[in-house]
Amino acid sequence: MDRGFALAGSISAFLAVAAGAFGAHALRSRLAPDLIAVFETGNRYQMYHALALFVVAIAASRWPGVSARAAGWLFIAGTLLFSGSLYALALTGTRWLGAITPLGGLCFLGGWAALAYAVVKG
């Protein structure tokens, strides 16, 4: 198993749980419902892709090569851009941050495509 991606997945999952608890307990009464929904979307995708990093860790060991590692880096970039922009939008209300979110979504899509390629190429 690739320890780097397993570690990144562990850290990201830890932060997703912490952010989820923060959102549920500290933000629920402070943010408008639409901003809570934005925060929760960022949180959900962070957790999905934290778990995906564990899949990458296994795939990178089983099918070594550029594709599986690229998937991991794309998932990390996607988390930072997608979830990060949604967290920032929810916390600040600054709507232009939503323009960054699709870039993170493209990173997620690229990561899944790269992972699929690594498996098929295997």
Side-chain angles (χ1 to χ4, degrees):
M1 180 179 294
D2 185 296
R3 287 181 185 219
F5 288 121
L7 176 62
S10 298
I11 291 169
S12 187
F14 174 89
L15 293 173
V17 171
F22 177 70
H25 299 289
L27 297 180
R28 183 82 46 201
S29 63
R30 293 190 172 107
L31 295 181
D34 63 320
L35 292 178
I36 288 291
V38 167
F39 189 90
E40 288 174 345
T41 298
N43 189 241
R44 186 171 47 255
Y45 276 78
Q46 181 178 353
M47 183 56 83
Y48 292 158
H49 290 88
L51 298 174
L53 285 168
F54 286 101
V55 174
V56 167
I58 294 166
S61 297
R62 178 146 188 195
W63 304 294
V66 174
S67 298
R69 296 190 63 72
W73 287 111
L74 285 164
F75 290 153
I76 291 169
T79 299
L80 292 172
L81 293 171
F82 186 90
S83 297
S85 67
L86 291 180
Y87 289 147
L89 188 158
L91 294 172
T92 67
T94 306
R95 295 285 177 182
W96 70 264
L97 290 167
I100 298 169
T101 308
L103 298 174
L106 287 174
C107 288
F108 286 152
L109 290 171
W112 287 111
L115 186 58
Y117 182 76
V119 171
V120 169
K121 182 181 157 192

